[in-house]
Amino acid sequence: MKNNLKFSPLELELKEYAKENKVPIIFDEGLSFVEAIIGAKRPKNILEIGTAIGYSAIRMASVCNSNIYTIERDNSMYNLATKNIKKAGLENNIHVIFKDALEAFSDVSNIKFDLIFIDAAKAQYHKFFDIYTPLLNDNGIVICDNMLFHGLVNDINNIDSYSRSVRGLIRKLNLFHDELLNNDKFQTAIYDIGDGMSVSIKK
Ligand code: SAH
Ligand code: MG
């Protein structure tokens, strides 16, 4: 894939930090895809599940000044994210909620979202989808990252050599694919972009 993404010094620092510390931030390929959707859709409010160090939130907020509500359950990630968002000067745009996303519905339930970006524990994607999509506006979009799990989800018959927990995750993601594709309230496609990305548009 070719793109002309530009990165600020802070964003380059975050990418380097993520690489050194194995924080699974979004790949450039996925990022350029998400940024294209945001640029076209111009969402007023975005909900992100899985902040990590704030990298994707900072990038998404910068496309067209959307408000981002982003949920993170890990204390050290939460602290890094708030620090980085402040450094980026985006603390008025990006609201980090320090909670497990399974328990944060009431923190955002008075807000309507144009875009939901799910990028947290893969085994819980279907729960996140069910909890938060009632807050989606008509024609709102749900994007899920890491949907192909390094290609393994497309290769479900050849996963015997993986650990029990990885096999369990792959099966759960595979079920979630089916649920998404069978949900007729959404038009869904799963793309082989980055680590696999689904786009579901609320009808
Ligand atoms: N969106 C980030 C990367 C997120 S990595 C980026 O691209 O820059 C996934 C993050 O989700 C991790 O920091 C992990 O702690 C968090 N997470 C996983 N399950 C969660 C849950 N149930 N609730 C809140 N955060 C969760
Ligand atoms: Mg991801």
Side-chain angles (χ1 to χ4, degrees):
M1 187 219 39
K2 295 179 182 172
N3 66 60
N4 63 354
L5 293 177
K6 301 269 187 305
F7 297 99
S8 70
L10 173 67
E11 288 162 0
L12 290 173
E13 211 181 282
L14 298 186
K15 284 176 77 152
E16 197 53 38
Y17 179 92
K19 201 168 170 189
E20 274 168 23
N21 295 280
K22 300 201 159 51
V23 181
I25 61 168
I26 189 168
F27 296 159
D28 287 356
E29 193 178 55
L31 184 66
S32 62
F33 184 65
V34 171
E35 290 189 356
I37 291 173
I38 293 175
K41 174 82 182 162
R42 306 194 80 73
K44 181 168 174 274
N45 295 319
I46 298 176
L47 176 67
E48 175 180 65
I49 301 175
T51 319
I53 58 175
Y55 173 73
S56 53
I58 288 170
R59 289 293 304 201
M60 291 194 291
S62 305
V63 178
C64 60
N65 249 331
S66 305
N67 295 308
I68 317 258
Y69 296 80
T70 179
I71 308 171
E72 175 57 56
R73 69 177 173 190
D74 182 90
N75 195 11
S76 61
M77 287 294 151
Y78 169 78
N79 288 332
L80 280 170
T82 47
K83 198 182 86 192
N84 291 331
I85 288 161
K86 215 157 179 213
K87 267 195 201 165
L90 289 168
E91 66 271 28
N92 293 328
N93 290 58
I94 305 177
H95 313 277
V96 191
I97 298 160
F98 177 37
K99 268 198 187 168
D100 193 302
L102 296 177
E103 286 153 18
F105 179 75
S106 60
D107 292 65
V108 292
S109 57
N110 58 341
I111 304 165
K112 283 288 191 182
F113 294 97
D114 305 299
L115 185 98
I116 299 177
F117 179 50
I118 301 180
D119 191 20
K122 291 179 256 301
Q124 298 169 335
Y125 273 18
H126 67 288
K127 290 191 185 150
F128 301 143
F129 191 94
D130 291 349
I131 294 172
Y132 293 103
T133 51
L135 303 177
L136 200 59
N137 285 320
D138 284 348
N139 304 310
I141 301 175
V142 184
I143 302 177
C144 301
D145 191 24
N146 308 98
M147 285 291 278
L148 296 176
F149 202 53
H150 320 294
L152 294 177
V153 177
N154 278 343
D155 203 17
I156 189 111
N157 297 319
N158 289 305
I159 59 172
D160 294 353
S161 59
Y162 293 93
S163 69
R164 203 187 151 89
S165 64
V166 168
R167 292 201 309 268
L169 259 184
I170 294 168
R171 289 206 188 89
K172 280 199 176 124
L173 263 183
N174 195 254
L175 273 180
F176 180 58
H177 282 200
D178 293 344
E179 276 170 27
L180 268 186
L181 295 168
N182 290 324
N183 184 338
D184 53 20
K185 295 195 184 79
F186 288 83
Q187 180 185 322
T188 291
I190 302 171
Y191 297 93
D192 198 352
I193 288 176
D195 193 27
M197 280 201 158
S198 64
V199 176
S200 304
I201 301 170
K202 189 173 173 180
K203 291 182 187 167

